[in-house]
Amino acid sequence: HNTNICLNKILFSAATFLEAESKSSTSEGLNIMTLGAEYTNKLRGTIDIAQLKGQYIQSDADTSNKGYTIGVSLGTKTLKNKGDYQGIIEYKVAEKNSFLSTSDYLNQKIIKFGATSYIAQNSNLEINYEMIESKEGDTIDKNILSFTLNHSF
């Protein structure tokens, strides 16, 4: 369901789907339910848009089946001109059977900082830093810094 208010936008979403084969449920696959909300505020000046979004997810796995994410992004609406940029800060809690987890075996907390900037025609540079903490123990915690150059042909 979408609701538009002046230049601002509120989006609510709900979905269910079936993931084939589950390692941790007594059923043959996982039924997954998600609820999400997103609020976008169109601004004027160097920041075109500011967005707040969140999602809750739950599967029918026997244990460790919930997760949620909340994030803030801001920047320009598109990446087509010199000076265009987008930034994001996101916090995610993902139990191992929630379908949000980056690993099939871990309960995780993830904090992500990211930025994307237009650098040349049809090209942008994306930089992300993620701090991943496993609730299972300290040996699997990691920090990831990634640089991605995107070019459209």
Side-chain angles (χ1 to χ4, degrees):
H1 176 69
N2 280 328
T3 304
N4 289 316
I5 303 171
C6 300
L7 299 175
N8 303 326
K9 183 172 103 175
I10 299 173
L11 171 69
F12 299 98
S13 63
T16 61
F17 55 95
L18 178 66
E19 177 194 24
E21 296 184 31
S22 169
K23 298 175 188 154
S24 56
S25 178
T26 54
S27 62
E28 291 182 12
L30 285 179
N31 287 308
I32 299 169
M33 181 269 308
T34 67
L35 297 172
E38 182 177 294
Y39 173 73
T40 303
N41 188 352
K42 187 172 180 180
L43 305 171
R44 300 176 201 274
T46 57
I47 300 175
D48 290 340
I49 60 169
Q51 188 175 64
L52 175 64
K53 55 186 170 181
Q55 180 182 25
Y56 174 81
I57 189 165
Q58 183 173 340
S59 73
D60 68 349
D62 298 331
T63 61
S64 301
N65 63 351
K66 296 176 183 72
Y68 65 88
T69 181
I70 186 164
V72 174
S73 60
L74 53 90
T76 55
K77 189 172 184 175
T78 62
L79 296 171
K80 294 183 178 179
N81 300 305
K82 186 176 180 179
D84 287 354
Y85 69 96
Q86 296 171 347
I88 186 169
I89 299 172
E90 184 177 65
Y91 178 72
K92 183 189 314 184
V93 173
E95 294 180 341
K96 64 182 174 182
N97 297 317
S98 69
F99 200 70
L100 281 175
S101 180
T102 59
S103 169
D104 291 337
Y105 309 105
L106 299 176
N107 293 319
Q108 298 175 322
K109 290 181 183 177
I110 302 169
I111 299 173
K112 175 183 176 180
F113 300 93
T116 306
S117 180
Y118 174 90
I119 58 170
Q121 184 176 359
N122 299 325
S123 299
N124 61 59
L125 177 64
E126 183 177 343
I127 302 170
N128 288 303
Y129 179 68
E130 293 181 295
M131 296 178 287
I132 302 172
E133 176 187 319
S134 168
K135 293 189 216 174
E136 305 285 320
D138 295 332
T139 58
I140 305 175
D141 295 350
K142 56 186 164 185
N143 295 324
I144 301 170
L145 177 63
S146 64
F147 296 87
T148 308
L149 178 62
N150 300 303
H151 181 77
S152 301
F153 295 95

